Amino acid sequence: MASDFDDLVQEGRVHRTVYTDEAIFSREQQKVFGETWVYLAHASEITEPNSFVARKMGLRSVIVTRDKEHKVHVLLNRCTHRGATVCREKKGDKTPFFTCPYHGWTFKNTGECAAIPHQDAYGEGFKKSSFNLKQIPYVSEYRGFILATLNPEKGKKGIKDHLRSAAGRIDEWIDHNGGDHKAIRISGAQQYTVHANWKCLYDNAGDGYHPEFSHQSLLQMTQQRYGAGMDLDYFAGGIDSTPMYSQDLGNGHTFLDQRPCMYEASAFDRQRPQPGREAIVEQLTKEVGEDKAREYFEMATGAGMNLNIFPNLLFIGNQLQVITPLSVGLSDMTWYSTSIDNVPAAVNTLRLRTQEDFTAFGEPDDTANFEACFKGMHEREIDWIDISRHLHTGVDKTDDNGIVTSVISSDIHMRAYYAEWKKLMQSNDESSLG
Amino acid sequence: MASKNNSIADSYYLNDAFYDRLMALNESWKMEAPAISPITLEDKQACESLIFTEARLADDLRLEQWLDCYSDQCVYWIPSSYPVVDPRQEITLEFHDKRRLQDRVARIRTGVAYSMVPVIRTRHVLGNIEYRQGVDKEVRARASFIIDALFDGKHRILSGWIGYSLVSEQNEWKIAVKQINLIDADCLQENNTFFL
């Protein structure tokens, strides 16, 4: 298997079957969506003891719970008795126990099997504890972001070791959003199906080459209606001579920085007008004064960071995009919105109306192209997907921490994540549920 | 941000009072007010005509005329949650004032909106329309809908119900609020870049 992956992921190109093959998809569920750290939930979604959210870890259905001691558990949502789905709600609170609707087996939110109706019929040697809900053994949180892994080696090293310098970029994103990670909360989600392999979505996450073309409708409409100097128009033209850059942060994580252009002056002034913009500007300026209001307006505008935590967590603007594979050719793309607790209410209204912008004007055209790529990957006569942009131009620079910086239109994002993907797919690590 | 095009409306009207009105309307869609309310037959006919015309113009992609069905102080809202949450608290699937509706039409009109290439054909079917008299000359209506959307040769069905707040402006009825409640608002959505 290991040498196969050397054939499939080569320098500057990837074989089409990496996207279309059922056996590879199946292996990814163990190696990628099991044996590396996978993002599952934000701490703000389960703040109270005995609250939970139902999530997917790859294809696995899991319940992310906070027990009465505030400890987070990731439980496999599969009754240890006959396999029925134990929890059928998407979220909830005041739930110290989950009872399987089929035969009434009851589990604590720590996973412990608490009660089996008419247990005596199982005989004297029966041990209830051997029927605890299975759980993902390693669960960790970095400043509100909850991730889990099955892998003992990665689990023991911890989340910071895995994130490496991406942790610093998460800190910068938090700083843009007021600096206090405990004040940042998820405020709803926009959920979409994409008819493509999950990696067609992930490929785009660090692609600084496509905006000028994929986002023509957004760019042309904005130019027509609002003139030059607006949102994303710095992507039109000689982008590689702009101060924007892309980076390989290690362990498959990557970063694309729009801030040098987007925040060169006011990013809020570049933003296409949000519904109710003038009403909020007037109200906030009156409430807090012009200087403080300006600060809030920039905070309501996207962070200008595309930070990608391999394999499924993307920071885009002020949103979190989470990619979940549903089958080899179907993916769940969920955009979680964020709000901030300790700011005037109007700031969050403005943030929400801003976060609805790109999903209306940008993402639909991206999705159309992801789906078109996936169609093309089924053409049997053409084997390769090209990822060689700026591979041979000598523009990359490596710093003392091993971070490789490239120009904005480079394919460094894809090369970096595929190096990690290949390493994971080739590994013989043993891991199991706790 | 200085508007470069003088025909683009500003958006002072979408203030907290307007949001409060949206939440009051949302409550009123339960239609618990008396079933026989003093809406005139003439108003009812005019409102029904507007509701059907707006749907037909969207289906026929006569989007400039479609925009004219809306008041200059309108909101087009597709909640992402079920039940509905205040749009000041949570993200929506879509929440547009008149200006952003114009932006959406202008995007489609560029011809390079790839989510609409080939164009998505739709047919709205509206039914179960109930009317209530609103505040002053406002009429409220609630209708069930089914939309068949055809993209790239494949059919897809969307359904749910719509709450309309209709107002008479210079003797012409206009849509002030269209709240589109998909039955799967909190589930995975497909390409909905047409107008619902």
Side-chain angles (χ1 to χ4, degrees):
Chain A
M1 200 81 182
S3 64
D4 291 354
F5 287 108
D6 286 333
D7 292 340
L8 292 170
V9 178
Q10 299 180 6
E11 190 188 48
R13 64 185 198 174
V14 179
H15 197 267
R16 66 176 190 88
T17 54
V18 161
Y19 296 83
T20 59
D21 185 88
E22 294 276 0
I24 290 175
F25 180 78
S26 178
R27 188 172 172 84
E28 281 178 336
Q29 297 313 310
Q30 182 63 23
K31 293 293 164 189
V32 179
F33 287 91
E35 291 179 4
T36 192
W37 288 96
V38 177
Y39 174 75
L40 291 175
H42 190 262
S44 66
E45 298 176 281
I46 47 168
T47 48
E48 294 302 310
N50 298 330
S51 57
F52 72 91
V53 286
R55 288 288 144 88
K56 298 291 281 287
M57 182 174 175
L59 293 179
R60 297 174 197 85
S61 288
V62 297
I63 322 169
V64 183
T65 68
R66 190 178 290 282
D67 72 19
K68 64 178 195 240
E69 317 292 340
H70 288 264
K71 188 167 184 265
V72 177
H73 304 266
V74 179
L75 311 174
L76 213 66
N77 193 3
R78 183 248 189 237
C79 188
T80 45
H81 178 218
R82 293 280 176 82
T85 308
V86 176
C87 171
R88 302 183 189 183
E89 304 294 330
K90 288 182 179 175
K91 60 181 179 182
D93 53 13
K94 300 183 181 72
T95 309
F97 297 99
F98 297 93
T99 298
C100 179
Y102 194 7
H103 297 93
W105 287 33
T106 296
F107 307 90
K108 288 187 186 169
N109 59 8
T110 59
E112 186 188 329
C113 183
I116 293 174
H118 316 301
Q119 189 190 311
D120 51 356
Y122 288 101
E124 266 183 23
F126 181 82
K127 270 201 212 124
K128 207 168 53 185
S129 62
S130 58
F131 285 90
N132 292 344
L133 286 180
K134 295 289 177 190
Q135 50 189 303
I136 311 300
Y138 303 95
V139 181
S140 191
E141 180 181 326
Y142 182 76
R143 301 195 76 190
F145 300 95
I146 299 168
L147 295 91
T149 181
L150 297 169
N151 188 319
E153 194 190 329
K154 288 206 163 83
K156 280 169 195 153
K157 280 187 189 160
I159 189 64
K160 281 195 86 168
D161 176 77
H162 173 69
L163 291 173
R164 296 170 59 179
S165 55
R169 295 299 189 187
I170 293 177
D171 296 345
E172 289 170 30
W173 183 87
I174 289 167
D175 287 344
H176 170 78
N177 288 295
D180 175 6
H181 73 269
K182 288 185 175 154
I184 297 172
R185 73 183 139 81
I186 299 295
S187 47
Q190 299 168 309
Q191 307 175 73
Y192 303 97
T193 307
V194 182
H195 296 262
N197 183 264
W198 69 274
K199 296 188 293 301
C200 295
L201 289 65
Y202 203 83
D203 288 349
N204 185 253
D207 185 316
Y209 186 22
H210 80 289
E212 186 180 357
F213 311 100
S214 282
H215 297 308
Q216 269 300 304
S217 72
L218 177 155
L219 293 168
Q220 283 186 24
M221 177 277 282
T222 310
Q223 167 77 30
Q224 266 170 35
R225 283 174 58 75
Y226 303 105
M230 296 292 288
D231 179 49
L232 293 184
D233 78 347
Y234 41 75
F235 274 106
I239 47 174
D240 285 341
S241 54
T242 72
M244 297 190 288
Y245 57 91
S246 54
Q247 283 185 326
D248 169 359
L249 302 176
N251 287 348
H253 313 316
T254 59
F255 178 51
L256 189 150
D257 198 353
Q258 296 182 43
R259 292 173 300 183
C261 288
M262 185 174 165
Y263 279 86
E264 188 188 12
S266 163
F268 180 67
D269 287 351
R270 282 187 160 277
Q271 180 65 44
R272 258 180 308 288
Q274 308 89 335
R277 178 180 174 114
E278 290 85 350
I280 292 174
V281 165
E282 198 175 64
Q283 185 192 337
L284 267 178
T285 306
K286 204 180 287 174
E287 266 179 44
V288 300
E290 202 177 329
D291 291 348
K292 190 69 191 168
R294 291 282 338 167
E295 259 179 56
Y296 285 140
F297 300 153
E298 301 300 322
M299 191 194 280
T301 312
M305 303 173 68
N306 293 71
L307 172 62
N308 310 304
I309 307 300
F310 184 75
N312 70 334
L313 173 61
L314 285 52
F315 294 77
I316 306 178
N318 292 340
Q319 283 145 292
L320 308 174
Q321 190 191 99
V322 179
I323 298 171
T324 308
L326 301 173
S327 72
V328 68
L330 191 66
S331 306
D332 168 341
M333 173 177 68
T334 293
W335 294 74
Y336 290 97
S337 171
T338 65
S339 291
I340 304 172
D341 279 337
N342 47 14
V343 296
V347 179
N348 284 322
T349 305
L350 188 61
R351 284 174 62 92
L352 290 164
R353 299 295 84 83
T354 311
Q355 292 176 61
E356 284 148 359
D357 178 281
F358 191 74
T359 48
F361 295 103
E363 189 61 41
D365 293 335
D366 277 335
T367 297
N369 284 323
F370 306 160
E371 293 181 347
C373 285
F374 189 62
K375 266 189 202 167
M377 287 163 179
H378 288 81
E379 301 289 356
R380 303 170 67 91
E381 284 80 16
I382 304 174
D383 285 329
W384 298 101
I385 302 301
D386 181 84
I387 59 167
S388 71
R389 192 171 168 82
H390 282 299
L391 179 60
H392 300 297
T393 55
V395 291
D396 293 1
K397 291 187 178 62
T398 307
D399 74 8
D400 296 344
N401 297 316
I403 298 171
V404 186
T405 302
S406 192
V407 291
I408 194 75
S409 83
S410 173
D411 282 337
I412 191 171
H413 157 75
M414 285 182 73
R415 291 192 290 271
Y417 99 72
Y418 264 116
E420 180 70 10
W421 183 89
K422 182 157 86 170
K423 198 166 91 188
L424 291 166
M425 292 295 275
Q426 288 177 329
S427 94
N428 294 313
D429 286 0
E430 295 280 334
S431 59
S432 59
L433 295 167
Chain B
M1 200 246 8
S3 176
K4 310 294 190 296
N5 182 336
N6 291 331
S7 71
I8 298 166
D10 54 36
S11 191
Y12 283 99
Y13 70 91
L14 187 51
N15 53 19
D16 263 331
F18 200 110
Y19 278 106
D20 289 342
R21 187 176 138 210
L22 285 175
M23 291 316 290
L25 277 171
N26 181 58
E27 191 59 26
S28 79
W29 304 136
K30 288 177 186 161
M31 305 307 260
E32 280 167 352
I36 303 163
S37 50
I39 169 173
T40 65
L41 188 61
E42 194 189 346
D43 283 353
K44 185 180 164 181
Q45 282 171 342
C47 288
E48 188 172 270
S49 169
L50 174 62
I51 287 170
F52 288 153
T53 301
E54 188 258 353
R56 170 169 47 76
L57 292 171
D59 286 340
D60 289 353
L61 284 169
R62 292 167 64 192
L63 301 178
E64 291 71 21
Q65 292 96 324
W66 176 83
L67 277 171
D68 284 340
C69 295
Y70 286 82
S71 161
D72 283 341
Q73 304 202 343
C74 68
V75 159
Y76 171 102
W77 172 23
I78 311 177
S80 68
S81 47
Y82 190 95
V84 172
V85 175
D86 189 324
R88 288 167 291 193
Q89 301 295 325
E90 278 196 10
I91 195 98
T92 70
L93 287 170
E94 297 187 40
F95 190 96
H96 308 314
D97 57 1
K98 185 70 177 263
R99 180 170 56 197
R100 197 179 258 179
L101 278 183
Q102 293 168 340
D103 289 350
R104 290 267 276 101
V105 169
R107 185 189 90 90
I108 292 169
R109 287 294 184 237
T110 61
V112 285
Y114 300 111
S115 72
M116 291 281 276
V117 180
V119 75
I120 303 177
R121 293 182 202 155
T122 59
R123 264 317 117 180
H124 285 67
V125 179
L126 296 165
N128 306 33
I129 309 180
E130 296 173 80
Y131 298 90
R132 294 288 188 279
Q133 185 63 49
V135 180
D136 300 326
K137 276 282 285 173
E138 179 207 18
V139 168
R140 294 175 190 173
R142 174 176 165 151
S144 295
F145 72 88
I146 292 174
I147 302 171
D148 181 12
L150 183 81
F151 182 67
D152 210 9
K154 294 183 195 76
H155 287 269
R156 189 156 58 82
I157 297 292
L158 290 84
S159 71
W161 61 271
I162 300 171
Y164 301 88
S165 164
L166 308 170
V167 291
S168 179
E169 292 175 351
Q170 282 124 29
N171 289 322
E172 242 192 307
W173 284 93
K174 300 276 184 182
I175 300 172
V177 176
K178 184 179 180 186
Q179 181 188 329
I180 301 144
N181 303 281
L182 289 160
I183 58 167
D184 59 352
D186 58 345
C187 304
L188 296 168
Q189 298 295 315
E190 303 262 343
N191 176 354
N192 291 352
T193 47
F194 46 88
F195 291 102
L196 272 68

